Amino acid sequence: MFNLLFLTCLAPLLGFVILTCGGNRWSETTAATIGVGTIGISALTTLALAIQFCIAPPSGGVFTQPLWQWLQVGGFAPHFALRLDGLSLTMLGVVSGVGFFIHLFAAWYMRGDDSYTRFFSYMNLFIASMLFLVLGDNLLFLYFGWEGVGLCSYLLIGFWYRDPANGAAARKAFVVTRVGDALMAIGLFWLYRDLGTLDIQEAMQLAPRHFVLGGAAITWITMLLLGGAVGKSAQLPLQTWLPDAMAGPTPVSALIHAATMVTAGVYLIARTHGLFELAPQSLQAVGLVGAATLLLAGCAALVQTDIKRILAYSTMSQIGYMFLALGAGAWGAAIFHLMTHAFFKALLFLTAGAVILACHHEQDIFKMGGLRKRLPLAYACFLVGGAALAAFPLVTAGFYSKDEILWEAYAGGHLGFFIAGLAGAFLTSLYIFRLIFTVFHGRPKIDAHPGHGIAYWLPLGVLLVLSSFVGAMIRPPLAGVLPTIEYTAAGGAKLSVEILSAAVAVGGIALAAVLFLGERRFVIWLAGTLPGRLLGRFWLHGWGFDWVYDRLFVRPLVWFAHENERDVIDLAILAIPAALGSVNAGLVRTQTGRLRWYAASMALGAVLLIAAVILS
């Protein structure tokens, strides 16, 4: 059964090739069947592998499937090889499973689009690239998938490229994430120089013997890897691309934010945990980046008016939770939250897409209202998904994964991370129920028509169930893959943390009800005050990071390009062929075709040679 592992990657890759070659010749039904069906094959294969892994795991809990040798340069001979263990199996299930339901929903959502086939070809390539990333057994293969998802994000964010704003958003995502990718590439070069290998497991074994704990070399290498993770997972300071990525179709947002791209940074750090454990300063930096992003994104989400941008900032915040967990050494809790987050964030984004279509492509939450009766399924999905995001106690998947992070941060002595996690939980409850109360309660402001069909309600229904406590019953098989620390809950400390976490979540929901149900007089008054206007505008624009980067990097570069329009370096390089051209033109003039001229030239040449010999 494990020999079928290659099929998980091959099926979506074949789907991409078939759809691309077919172009616009395919009907929508055929394109959807190919696009969704190939991801379904990948998901079913993953399910079979998971069952086999639980019943009769491979020797040592690891199965490696070499495909072919990529290249050989001296002693450097990396392979295309797939590695299946508890961590990659968890990611495989998230990518292919949640990705399948997103594809199925997209079959309904994208109906009528002129580029229906092109959309599914890009989506299939996105899934295939992410599967290469999580299954690659060496860092070079991982980086291949890493760059693949970067390319696909550019194609999908700018899918409706005829709108210049969408093209600008795609370019921004591509350029900002390239900054992190360049840092990661330098880190991989450095790692190979010191260890002589990019095989992940071999590097983990060699690193403790080669690097000194907390040494400069391993610290720099892991900080460079963190730079790559920060760019791909939209964490400070490379988070600015993610809100603008909402320019793409909503299923793209669901795929990027829930199942694929933004989780890649979390996976990278978890996969290379052996390196980060040798660099305590880098591990502390991971937690600090996560805590800061968690709080900044939570504040920004409080004032957004676009339904998708609110969810985008919530993604930044929740990925911040995962980074915080990694920094606190809660490796398993981070991956557990990654899995549950995929369930409820995919549910929220897909439901947001359903609401947007039902409201005739309106995305401003304050132009909606009173939709709970007209869109009952969407309302139920937002209630369950929002409650899971807010970690509503006992009945939602988010409560169990977030509670593990908070407990391990507290028990591990990371009090600052614990307090940041509680503050982030409160902000999360506040902003997500601000959205729910504004969109689904109050006076109706817009006419809405619910969707229908199995491609509409089946993905929402399955993800709704997985976002409840049912999803928390799926435990990633991480034993032996990631470090684990068993903390003893002395004096009921763990129960106290659970109660405090639940109280914070419920308190945030209660405050949201007070502030945003009814006429919202206090909120309107507060937003009208000078401090409220200034702070709201500051948060609305993402704490001004785009403004700062525009003046620090974009404008100076544009000025330099304008001033150097003729490019002195190019002029110097072009002078070489120009000079050679002049010499050639001069030599061409000597070719007259006259015999006397040639004879005279030969005689003159002979005289010069004789003179040179005599004079020497």
Side-chain angles (χ1 to χ4, degrees):
M1 177 58 73
F2 292 119
N3 290 327
L4 295 178
L5 179 61
F6 75 95
L7 195 58
T8 59
C9 302
L10 181 62
L13 196 58
L14 283 177
F16 161 72
V17 172
I18 294 170
L19 290 168
T20 302
C21 293
N24 291 327
R25 292 192 297 272
W26 301 115
S27 67
E28 288 189 349
T29 301
T30 303
T33 301
I34 296 171
V36 179
T38 51
I39 304 302
I41 292 172
S42 180
L44 288 174
T45 305
T46 300
L47 178 61
L49 291 171
I51 294 172
Q52 180 70 19
F53 196 92
C54 294
I55 296 174
S59 177
V62 177
F63 173 75
T64 302
Q65 186 175 42
L67 301 179
W68 65 85
Q69 185 172 293
W70 191 349
L71 55 89
Q72 182 169 3
V73 181
F76 182 56
H79 288 75
F80 272 120
L82 307 178
R83 176 186 174 87
L84 185 70
D85 58 16
L87 177 58
S88 57
L89 179 61
T90 302
M91 296 298 297
L92 185 61
V94 168
V95 174
S96 63
V98 176
F100 168 73
F101 289 112
I102 293 172
H103 272 70
L104 182 59
F105 185 87
W108 168 80
Y109 186 90
M110 297 298 293
R111 284 285 178 184
D113 193 280
D114 294 338
S115 301
Y116 193 84
T117 302
R118 179 168 63 91
F119 174 81
F120 277 104
S121 70
Y122 290 169
M123 291 279 278
N124 277 34
L125 182 61
F126 204 155
I127 292 289
S129 299
M130 190 66 188
L131 292 176
F132 287 144
L133 191 160
V134 301
L135 290 176
D137 78 329
N138 64 76
L139 289 169
L140 190 59
F141 193 10
L142 183 151
Y143 193 74
F144 176 79
W146 188 275
E147 290 300 309
V149 296
L151 168 65
C152 293
S153 69
Y154 169 79
L155 296 173
L156 286 167
I157 292 169
F159 179 76
W160 289 317
Y161 58 88
R162 291 182 179 86
D163 186 343
N166 296 340
R171 289 193 299 273
K172 182 178 181 179
F174 191 79
V175 170
V176 173
T177 55
R178 290 292 77 71
V179 175
D181 294 354
L183 295 174
M184 180 180 171
I186 295 170
L188 295 182
F189 294 149
W190 196 334
L191 186 67
Y192 179 75
R193 189 199 68 173
D194 285 1
L195 297 183
T197 183
L198 288 178
D199 181 273
I200 297 173
Q201 300 310 309
E202 188 178 353
M204 297 304 104
Q205 294 172 2
L206 293 175
R209 298 198 295 267
H210 185 87
F211 296 114
V212 178
L213 179 65
I218 189 62
T219 300
W220 276 108
I221 289 171
T222 48
M223 288 297 287
L224 289 167
L225 294 180
L226 174 60
V230 160
K232 200 67 78 182
S233 292
Q235 299 292 284
L236 286 169
L238 300 179
Q239 83 289 359
T240 56
W241 67 270
L242 194 62
D244 291 346
M246 297 302 98
T250 304
V252 172
S253 304
L255 194 62
I256 291 177
H257 290 244
T260 55
M261 186 168 169
V262 295
T263 62
V266 180
Y267 172 77
L268 173 67
I269 296 174
R271 177 56 80 189
T272 57
H273 65 272
L275 301 179
F276 280 88
E277 288 183 316
L278 292 172
Q281 291 179 324
S282 298
L283 200 57
Q284 181 74 5
V286 172
L288 289 173
V289 165
T293 308
L294 165 66
L295 297 176
L296 266 65
C299 292
L302 279 174
V303 297
Q304 302 299 314
T305 59
D306 186 303
I307 188 171
K308 289 177 65 176
R309 288 181 73 90
I310 295 172
L311 297 179
Y313 278 107
S314 82
T315 297
M316 290 167 53
S317 180
Q318 295 306 301
I319 299 295
Y321 255 112
M322 299 171 207
F323 271 66
L324 183 151
L326 295 171
W331 304 96
I335 300 302
F336 185 32
H337 192 57
L338 184 155
M339 182 191 73
T340 60
H341 173 262
F343 298 153
F344 59 73
K345 186 52 61 68
L347 175 65
L348 288 171
F349 263 112
L350 295 185
T351 309
V355 171
I356 291 169
L357 281 192
C359 295
H360 317 288
H361 298 280
E362 179 59 65
Q363 296 185 202
D364 189 333
I365 62 173
F366 291 104
K367 294 181 180 179
M368 303 175 188
L371 295 179
R372 69 183 186 278
K373 294 181 179 179
R374 300 187 182 187
L375 304 175
L377 178 59
Y379 180 50
C381 291
F382 252 105
L383 273 182
V384 174
L389 177 62
F392 190 83
L394 301 179
V395 296
T396 65
F399 169 75
Y400 295 95
S401 57
K402 196 174 289 186
D403 180 69
E404 279 196 16
I405 294 175
L406 293 174
W407 162 243
E408 294 198 33
Y410 175 81
H414 302 279
L415 188 59
F417 292 166
F418 173 70
I419 295 173
L422 286 177
F426 180 78
L427 290 172
T428 302
S429 300
L430 193 57
Y431 69 67
I432 192 60
F433 275 88
R434 165 184 176 263
L435 185 158
I436 293 172
F437 293 147
T438 302
V439 170
F440 294 98
H441 292 260
R443 180 173 55 84
K445 300 177 182 178
I446 193 170
D447 187 28
H449 303 283
H452 55 82
I454 189 171
Y456 168 74
W457 59 261
L458 180 60
L460 298 182
V462 172
L463 291 170
L464 185 149
V465 172
L466 291 175
S467 299
S468 70
F469 67 92
V470 175
M473 296 170 66
I474 305 173
R475 288 285 173 161
L478 301 175
V481 182
L482 296 177
T484 57
I485 302 175
E486 294 295 334
Y487 296 105
T488 303
K494 187 172 185 180
L495 179 60
S496 299
V497 169
E498 291 174 350
I499 293 174
L500 181 59
S501 172
V504 167
V506 174
I509 296 172
L511 181 60
V514 171
L515 295 176
F516 301 108
L517 283 177
E519 297 182 3
R520 302 195 295 271
R521 292 180 180 178
F522 177 76
V523 174
I524 294 172
W525 170 82
L526 184 62
T529 63
L530 180 60
R533 288 200 307 272
L534 293 177
L535 190 60
R537 186 174 180 81
F538 186 49
W539 286 354
L540 182 66
H541 292 89
W543 295 75
F545 278 92
D546 279 325
W547 184 88
V548 172
Y549 291 166
D550 181 64
R551 281 152 181 79
L552 280 181
F553 303 113
V554 178
R555 292 191 181 187
L557 180 61
V558 171
W559 173 85
F560 178 76
H562 177 73
E563 293 297 318
N564 194 35
E565 186 175 0
R566 298 187 65 188
D567 198 335
V568 293
I569 296 176
D570 277 355
L571 290 176
I573 294 174
L574 292 174
I576 298 173
L580 293 175
S582 299
V583 172
N584 177 71
L587 292 174
V588 165
R589 291 175 183 172
T590 66
Q591 306 303 307
T592 62
R594 296 177 181 177
L595 185 61
R596 292 181 179 180
W597 169 254
Y598 292 153
S601 298
M602 293 171 64
L604 178 62
V607 170
L608 291 176
L609 285 173
I610 294 170
V613 171
I614 294 173
L615 293 176
S616 63

